[in-house]
Amino acid sequence: MDNCVIFTGGVLDYPERLDSSVWKNAFVIAADSGYRYAQALGIIPDLAMGDYDSLGYIPENCGEVMTFPKEKDDSDLMLAIREALRRGYKDITIIGALGGRFDHTFSNLQSLGFIAKQGASGKIISADESITLNAPGEYRVRRDDSRSLSLFAYTEAVTGLTVSGVKYPLENSEITSFFPIGLSNVITDDYACISFKSGLLLIISSRL
């Protein structure tokens, strides 16, 4: 078991669309009211943690419980991420991090930046979205005609960006965080091939 799945307390629409293989054989953490989502999916978390101000009670049906005060520097999700990293997990998937208040959603996206800075891989998924924040390198995204592909610069600029296998390809280009030129591309080959040389790149697959 080298991957960790964290359930957090954003909006989780259409949970039946989630791929259950994501949390099978994973270490599961429920962050505060993310415990409800785990319960709804029939999952007994290995660890529940948070201040439980949103959940309203301290859960008992889980492997381990950690309780924190309401006044703290980290959000419940960040506490869960830190704990996952402390336990050595390098592949972290977050569920329930989208929807609801925009400040919470943006904070959750920034948590992917924290994960990347620690040398780990982070992903946020929902029934309709898959979001990764990527360091320079080469990546492939499988074609799914029900989804679009968007690429955004998380840092001020992403340079040396080459994208092939898509309707709107790029070759050794630069995109910046000041203009959304990478919105809603279409994968035309079996895979979109993405590579870049510097910066941090958000790769987002969205249901059409």
Side-chain angles (χ1 to χ4, degrees):
M1 184 189 299
D2 58 3
N3 59 315
C4 177
V5 171
I6 300 173
F7 286 89
T8 191
V11 175
L12 187 61
D13 292 327
Y14 309 108
E16 67 277 4
R17 291 184 188 169
L18 291 170
D19 180 3
S20 62
S21 66
V22 171
W23 54 81
K24 286 183 178 177
N25 301 317
F27 185 82
V28 176
I29 300 177
D32 202 318
S33 60
Y35 181 76
R36 288 197 188 101
Y37 295 144
Q39 270 195 320
L41 291 165
I43 300 166
I44 298 175
D46 297 288
L47 171 63
M49 57 190 306
D51 55 32
Y52 308 112
D53 60 342
S54 299
L55 184 60
Y57 62 92
I58 298 176
E60 296 180 353
N61 188 25
C62 52
E64 182 182 351
V65 175
M66 297 176 68
T67 305
F68 297 84
K70 291 182 180 180
E71 294 185 1
K72 56 189 185 303
D73 292 333
D74 284 333
S75 66
D76 292 318
L77 174 58
M78 277 304 305
L79 288 173
I81 290 170
R82 289 185 189 276
E83 185 63 19
L85 292 168
R86 188 188 71 79
R87 295 185 185 217
Y89 294 102
K90 295 294 187 181
D91 184 346
I92 299 172
T93 299
I94 304 168
I95 300 173
L98 302 176
R101 286 173 49 176
F102 178 75
D103 56 345
H104 286 183
T105 299
F106 192 78
S107 171
N108 295 339
L109 288 173
Q110 286 192 317
S111 72
L112 293 180
F114 178 82
I115 293 169
K117 288 292 186 182
Q118 308 309 308
S121 173
K123 177 187 289 186
I124 291 174
I125 65 170
S126 70
D128 296 322
E129 311 281 350
S130 173
I131 304 171
T132 59
L133 182 59
N134 304 275
E138 298 181 359
Y139 303 91
R140 296 203 308 170
V141 180
R142 185 189 296 272
R143 178 175 176 172
D144 181 341
D145 291 338
S146 69
R147 292 176 175 265
S148 65
L149 175 69
S150 296
L151 306 176
F152 300 116
Y154 183 81
T155 46
E156 184 172 336
V158 169
T159 67
L161 176 62
T162 295
V163 186
S164 62
V166 295
K167 186 175 181 179
Y168 304 106
L170 289 174
E171 179 68 33
N172 196 28
S173 299
E174 176 178 299
I175 62 173
T176 74
S177 59
F178 304 108
F179 189 77
I181 194 171
L183 178 66
S184 294
N185 210 332
V186 177
I187 301 176
T188 54
D189 292 349
D190 289 341
Y191 291 88
C193 297
I194 303 162
S195 64
F196 62 103
K197 296 176 181 176
S198 71
L200 291 173
L201 180 70
L202 281 166
I203 300 178
I204 304 175
S205 173
S206 302
R207 189 179 299 275
L208 296 170

